Amino acid sequence: MVLVSEISLGGESALLRSWEKACSGKDVVLPPAGTNYLDSVRASTAAFIESAGHELVSINNEGIRNYVNRFDYDKFVKYVKQVNGWTHKLPLVFDNMAQELNLIALLDLLQFGSGYRKELHTATGRGASDTIRFGCISMHISQTLIDAKGLQALTLGDISQHFDIPLFGDERPMAQGSSAVMVSQASELRPLAECILGCLQDTGKRLELGGYSSLADFIIKMCTEKPSAAHLVEMLANAFPSLRDVAQIEDHQVYLFKKAQLMAYDVCQRFGKTDKMFAFNDIEQLTLFADNVVPAMMQHHGLILPNKNIIAKIENSQPLSLPETTAMRAASIVAAQMVVDYANGHSSAAT
């Protein structure tokens, strides 16, 4: 039996087109230079929810008060310590701080793919986040180069091997009634592998063009310049389209910057106590990291109230539109800030 693939593992131009289609950050308008990007997240999400977004998702002030009043502080502290410690618990040995920083940054850079959760669990038994961690750890253990040049040299086959993402799906006979020649069709997960590869190659290319040897090198130089979470988020978003988490909804520019903020947070948590360049004194100004999970929890606890159309889509496992997903994420950021303000006795909105 001969196996023939209907798709090619090569084709740099095809990969670039696939990545550019998936990466919406290339053409977004960022806040003006010198603007505090964390303030931009708060202001833009609040403005969106107060206007157009309010018809999609509203904030439940009473739900916020109830949530804070029944808050289990001890349980929260225990959980936060566990979550904050993940960067210290990677089962790996590093040659130096920069190598460890580089891997942590890549883990945060690749935090996407939740839309493939079902397919990933079926194929590998892992969700999106675990798939990314599995792949990054595999690259480290195999001593795959993940500096600027190494990221550009990765192939689709490398991504498939390290992240355990199948590129080929079911086989079928090329000719009806004959199994002499079988044709392999593209896997449902191939687009995810292409996006991972595109993100890594694009990042490596931009690092090299900017004169940086690795993502760690970029972060170290930005933090040496100014040890600030807001500054690092701004520099990351300006340098890498994959970190420009921004949505244009009608005349609203909604800034979220989830992955850039997550990267700043993890860097500070892991290295802030041992290196002053990562001891960001504005770390508490980071906003909620609004991903796909947080809005679901916000809805569960009654802090945000999606409209009937969104609820129906969620209950029927239907995809949400860009305005709907943006409204869910933006409302979560607004509600989280209101929870903090109310808990600290500074909120008039939740009264």
Side-chain angles (χ1 to χ4, degrees):
M1 181 181 71
V2 179
L3 178 63
V4 179
S5 170
E6 286 187 332
I7 57 180
S8 169
L9 288 183
E12 180 181 359
S13 60
L15 282 173
L16 288 175
R17 288 196 299 271
S18 175
W19 167 241
E20 288 179 356
K21 182 178 180 181
C23 183
S24 59
K26 294 194 69 174
D27 302 316
V28 302
V29 178
L30 293 171
T35 301
N36 186 309
Y37 275 37
L38 308 183
D39 290 342
S40 295
V41 172
R42 289 186 175 84
S44 66
T45 52
F48 177 59
I49 292 303
E50 288 173 4
S51 53
H54 182 75
E55 298 179 358
L56 299 171
V57 184
S58 58
I59 307 297
N60 184 2
N61 290 344
E62 182 179 359
I64 289 173
R65 292 196 299 272
N66 291 337
Y67 180 79
V68 173
N69 292 336
R70 66 172 186 268
F71 195 79
D72 189 333
Y73 179 78
D74 293 334
K75 183 178 180 180
F76 173 75
V77 170
K78 183 179 179 180
Y79 176 74
V80 167
K81 287 181 178 179
Q82 179 181 352
V83 172
N84 285 347
W86 82 263
T87 55
H88 297 267
K89 298 177 181 178
L90 289 172
L92 303 170
V93 176
F94 298 98
D95 295 336
N96 49 56
M97 179 272 286
Q99 188 182 50
E100 184 177 1
L101 171 60
N102 199 54
L103 187 68
I104 290 173
L106 285 178
L107 279 163
D108 289 337
L109 176 75
L110 294 176
Q111 286 302 308
F112 56 79
S114 61
Y116 292 93
R117 184 188 301 106
K118 181 179 179 181
E119 292 83 357
L120 283 168
H121 274 289
T122 299
T124 69
R126 304 181 195 90
S129 184
D130 284 341
T131 294
I132 296 304
R133 179 173 296 202
F134 182 90
C136 289
I137 289 177
S138 174
M139 289 193 294
H140 177 79
I141 292 175
S142 64
Q143 298 184 349
T144 299
L145 291 178
I146 50 177
D147 57 7
K149 291 185 180 296
L151 294 179
Q152 295 177 76
L154 290 170
T155 68
L156 195 57
D158 293 331
I159 300 302
S160 175
Q161 178 181 355
H162 289 300
F163 291 81
D164 194 25
I165 298 176
L167 300 178
F168 304 105
D170 297 332
E171 299 175 8
R172 63 175 176 80
M174 177 174 284
Q176 187 174 0
S178 173
S179 61
V181 179
M182 302 294 289
V183 176
S184 178
Q185 297 176 312
S187 162
E188 293 179 297
L189 291 168
R190 179 185 168 96
L192 175 59
E194 291 179 344
C195 282
I196 292 173
L197 178 61
C199 177
L200 294 176
Q201 288 182 337
D202 182 76
T203 300
K205 181 179 180 180
R206 292 174 186 277
L207 284 168
E208 186 172 28
L209 288 173
Y212 304 101
S213 62
S214 66
L215 191 51
D217 182 37
F218 177 90
I219 293 172
I220 289 171
K221 288 178 179 175
M222 295 305 106
C223 293
T224 301
E225 178 181 286
K226 185 177 181 180
S228 159
H231 176 69
L232 181 56
V233 169
E234 178 182 354
M235 295 299 102
L236 287 167
N238 275 273
F240 307 108
S242 55
L243 295 177
R244 295 171 192 167
D245 191 4
V246 182
Q248 177 71 44
I249 310 297
E250 298 177 352
D251 59 341
H252 293 276
Q253 198 81 3
V254 186
Y255 300 111
L256 303 164
F257 298 130
K258 178 247 179 175
K259 290 192 294 181
Q261 290 194 79
L262 178 63
M263 199 177 293
Y265 180 79
D266 284 339
V267 166
C268 180
Q269 285 295 321
R270 177 62 186 92
F271 303 107
K273 292 182 179 179
T274 56
D275 198 317
K276 63 181 182 180
M277 80 170 77
F278 303 122
F280 307 143
N281 59 14
D282 60 345
I283 193 66
E284 295 182 356
Q285 295 303 309
L286 293 175
T287 72
L288 181 77
F289 310 145
D291 55 11
N292 61 302
V293 176
V294 169
M297 296 307 299
M298 288 282 187
Q299 179 187 0
H300 171 74
H301 288 290
L303 306 182
I304 64 173
L305 303 173
N307 67 18
K308 293 181 179 179
N309 291 336
I310 294 179
I311 291 175
K313 286 185 177 181
I314 293 174
E315 291 177 346
N316 292 287
S317 299
Q318 297 176 344
L320 302 184
S321 66
L322 178 60
E324 289 169 337
T325 57
T326 302
M328 290 288 284
R329 297 176 69 194
S332 297
I333 292 173
V334 174
Q337 187 62 54
M338 292 174 67
V339 165
V340 172
D341 291 343
Y342 181 67
N344 290 331
H346 302 311
S347 175
S348 59
T351 57

